[in-house]
């Protein structure tokens, strides 16, 4: 096992840890994910690969001092653990690969100090994070292949965009839309298109 | 093939606990429950108002639905665990025209067709199927499309029409109390209707 990048911080008794990796031979994604709750000692680890893993940990930062934030994400972590539990009702159980990326997104949302979302799904193939405020709904749909973003009001869909997981593996997560979507200012955010060139930017909005 | 519904028709989406809930938290997406039939086909089940004489008829049908789901689990798994017991909570109303408009939504360009068709099943004469077909060259993630469709359906709903089945009288608190109000407000069942 070769560690490329690790960070391991905690906040108010909760640490969300994601290990994502790539197969050193094929370059394909391999993953392990864990949600660890300090104090309760609850931990849950999903093994998706036993081959060589490059570890990348995303965790709740020490800056996220707001109690509500940490409590919200603790609930979210527990909910994600339940969704991946084999004892969970078939209606709600999600695929292991979806669980891994949903945990990764949850960790990065926490890092971005975005309020904890409500959670839903369309079955085993996805998890949907949802925020409703300012008469707008914001969704982040996480599947094994992509993260889809949607902002809507009652009258219309206001914004949609989609990121392939391969684009997000080593780059910033698409969080800024959540912070900016409630403002009147046009949302613009750029992400590196890792599939082409490190110098090439792709405009999302 | 069953009859296609027209834009003037009205349908309901029934809500069953725990399918549409995560713990005590109501889930709009799970309530609408869009399933993938194939790479390009998405479906959910609805109930045609035309076949319901009254709101009592609607709820009677919902109680029967939950009962059949429990019976199916009992047959398949030998028992129904208390946490998995299906409890009918009520229904939301939706004009069929709103489903036809999905295809016209500028931010859902991947939709090729939407079809709401009468499809009786499990002895439920009022059952209809909503089927959304995506364009053959669509390369985006179908799960994201489902979220967008569910969002538009939620924005077009009226209700909820809450209900507690007689067999669930003892459940306190009853999960019907956790149903979310729709942005478009409540729905009143027509007072006089003859069933077809």
């Amino acid at each position: 096992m070769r560690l490329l990048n690790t960070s391991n911080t905690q906040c108010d008794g909760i640490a969300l840890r994601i290990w994502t990796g790539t197969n050193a031979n094929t370059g394909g994604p391999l993953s392990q994910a864990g949600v660890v709750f300090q104090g309760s000692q609850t931990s849950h680890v999903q093994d998706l690969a036993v081959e060589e893993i490059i570890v990348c940990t995303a965790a709740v930062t020490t800056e996220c001092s707001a109690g509500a934030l940490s409590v919200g994400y603790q609930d979210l972590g527990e909910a994600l653990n339940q969704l991946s539990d084999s004892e969970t009702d078939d209606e709600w159980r999600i695929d292991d690969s979806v669980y891994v990326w949903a945990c990764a997104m949850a960790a990065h949302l926490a890092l971005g100090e975005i309020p904890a979302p409500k959670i839903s799904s369309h079955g085993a193939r996805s998890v949907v994070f949802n925020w409703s405020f300012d008469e707008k709904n914001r969704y982040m749909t996480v599947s094994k292949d992509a993260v889809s973003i949607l902002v809507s009001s009652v009258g219309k869909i206001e914004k949609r965009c989609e990121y392939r997981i391969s684009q997000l593996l080593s780059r910033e997560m698409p969080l800024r839309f959540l912070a900016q979507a409630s403002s009147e200012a046009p949302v613009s955010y750029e992400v590196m298109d890792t599939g082409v060139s490190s110098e090439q930017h792709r405009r999302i909005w | 093939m069953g009859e296609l519904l027209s834009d003037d028709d009205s349908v309901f989406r029934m809500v069953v606990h725990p399918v549409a809930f995560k713990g005590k938290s109501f889930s709009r997406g799970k309530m609408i429950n869009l399933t993938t039939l194939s790479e390009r086909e998405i479906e959910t089940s609805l109930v045609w108002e035309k076949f319901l004489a009254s709101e009592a008829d609607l709820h009677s049908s919902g109680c029967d639905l939950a009962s059949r789901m429990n019976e199916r689990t009992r047959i398949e798994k030998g028992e129904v665990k208390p946490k998995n017991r299906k409890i009918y909570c009520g229904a939301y109303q939706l004009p069929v025209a709103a489903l036809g408009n999905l295809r016209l939504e500028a931010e859902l360009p991947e939709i090729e067709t939407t079809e709401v068709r009468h499809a009786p099943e499990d002895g439920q004469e009022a059952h209809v199927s909503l089927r959304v077909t995506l364009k053959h060259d669509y390369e985006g993630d179908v799960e994201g499309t489902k979220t967008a469709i569910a969002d538009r359906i939620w924005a077009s709903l009226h209700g909820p029409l809450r209900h507690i089945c007689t067999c669930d009288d003892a459940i306190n608190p009853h999960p019907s109390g956790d149903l979310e109000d729709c942005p478009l407000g409540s729905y009143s069942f027509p007072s006089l209707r003859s069933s077809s």
Side-chain angles (χ1 to χ4, degrees):
Chain A
M1 181 181 294
R2 185 159 60 99
L3 271 62
L4 280 189
N5 182 13
T6 59
S7 63
N8 184 17
T9 53
Q10 297 169 355
C11 176
D12 293 342
I14 174 174
L16 293 166
R17 296 179 184 175
I18 310 301
W19 293 262
T20 60
T22 54
N23 184 314
N25 296 321
T26 67
L30 301 172
S31 305
Q32 285 189 327
V35 181
V36 180
F37 301 107
Q38 202 177 33
S40 68
Q41 298 300 311
T42 302
S43 69
H44 183 92
V45 175
Q46 289 282 332
D47 290 325
L48 294 187
V50 292
E51 301 171 64
E52 185 173 358
I53 290 178
I54 301 167
V55 179
C56 172
T57 301
V60 180
T61 67
T62 50
E63 286 78 28
C64 61
S65 57
L69 180 67
S70 62
V71 170
Y73 276 96
Q74 183 157 351
D75 289 345
L76 181 63
E78 288 173 352
L80 287 171
N81 283 349
Q82 287 171 12
L83 295 187
S84 70
D85 192 326
S86 60
E87 291 293 305
T88 294
D89 192 354
D90 290 346
E91 300 278 1
W92 273 95
R93 193 180 310 141
I94 58 172
D95 292 343
D96 287 348
S97 53
V98 174
Y99 169 78
V100 167
W101 295 119
C103 286
M105 289 301 136
H108 282 274
L109 291 166
L111 276 168
E113 299 193 33
I114 303 293
K118 290 181 71 174
I119 188 171
S120 183
S121 84
H122 301 303
R125 296 181 183 179
S126 62
V127 165
V128 183
F129 296 140
N130 171 225
W131 300 259
S132 296
F133 55 90
D134 295 341
E135 298 183 346
K136 288 183 182 177
N137 291 305
R138 296 152 181 85
Y139 304 89
M140 176 181 279
T141 305
V142 183
S143 72
K144 71 179 176 57
D145 299 315
V147 176
S148 307
I149 304 297
L150 172 72
V151 181
S152 75
S153 58
V154 171
K156 64 175 183 177
I157 293 173
E158 300 191 353
K159 295 183 177 81
R160 278 183 79 189
C161 65
E162 188 172 296
Y163 305 78
R164 308 309 290 181
I165 288 288
S166 58
Q167 287 180 296
L168 303 176
L169 272 172
S170 60
R171 296 293 171 189
E172 252 187 287
M173 298 296 146
L175 300 179
R176 203 168 299 171
F177 89 98
L178 288 167
Q180 294 184 356
S182 59
S183 74
E184 292 303 313
V187 176
S188 68
Y189 181 58
E190 290 182 345
V191 64
M192 304 287 262
D193 187 342
T194 57
V196 181
S197 153
S198 61
E199 298 302 316
Q200 189 169 352
H201 288 62
R202 187 168 74 89
R203 193 159 190 83
I204 296 300
W205 303 110
Chain B
M1 296 279 272
E3 177 186 355
L4 278 175
L5 277 67
S6 76
D7 280 358
D8 295 331
D9 283 310
S10 167
V11 292
F12 292 92
R13 175 69 194 170
M14 292 177 169
V15 188
V16 175
H17 182 280
V19 179
F21 294 79
K22 189 75 201 102
K24 272 187 66 68
S25 182
F26 174 69
S27 163
R28 299 172 191 172
K30 287 297 286 184
M31 182 272 288
I32 295 166
N33 201 26
L34 295 166
T35 58
T36 309
L37 287 180
S38 68
E39 286 298 306
R40 309 206 184 284
E41 285 185 305
I42 298 166
E43 186 182 57
T44 194
S45 291
L46 302 161
V47 175
W48 196 350
E49 186 176 319
K50 172 182 162 183
F51 284 86
L52 305 167
S54 63
E55 185 173 336
D57 244 14
L58 168 70
H59 294 319
S60 172
S61 184
C63 295
D64 287 347
L65 171 68
S67 175
R68 281 198 305 276
M69 293 169 87
N70 287 325
E71 188 54 30
R72 196 177 307 138
T73 303
R74 197 170 288 117
I75 290 168
E76 289 172 0
K77 300 187 175 177
E79 62 168 345
V80 180
K81 292 180 181 173
K83 68 170 186 170
N84 292 335
R85 180 172 169 241
K86 305 297 188 289
I87 303 165
Y88 173 70
C89 298
Y92 290 91
Q93 185 269 347
L94 176 68
V96 170
L99 299 171
N101 288 340
L102 285 172
R103 194 171 55 82
L104 307 175
E105 173 67 55
E107 292 292 336
L108 273 166
E110 65 265 44
I111 292 182
E112 180 80 50
T113 60
T114 60
E115 185 180 278
V116 188
R117 191 178 286 279
H118 188 209
E121 69 172 27
D122 279 349
Q124 191 181 33
E125 186 63 20
H127 180 266
V128 299
S129 164
L130 163 65
R131 188 169 296 194
V132 179
T133 305
L134 306 185
K135 290 178 178 167
H136 72 279
D137 57 351
Y138 179 59
E139 293 181 346
D141 192 59
V142 175
E143 297 302 306
T145 301
K146 285 185 190 173
T147 300
I149 293 171
D151 173 76
R152 288 302 82 199
I153 290 177
W154 173 258
S156 304
L157 292 175
H158 292 84
L161 295 161
R162 293 182 175 85
H163 183 73
I164 299 175
C165 304
T166 307
C167 62
D168 299 327
D169 271 347
I171 297 174
N172 187 20
H174 192 278
S176 61
D178 296 320
L179 296 186
E180 258 185 66
D181 292 336
C182 292
L184 292 187
S186 60
Y187 180 73
S188 297
F189 216 94
S191 57
L192 187 62
R193 180 192 305 282
S194 58
S195 60
S196 301

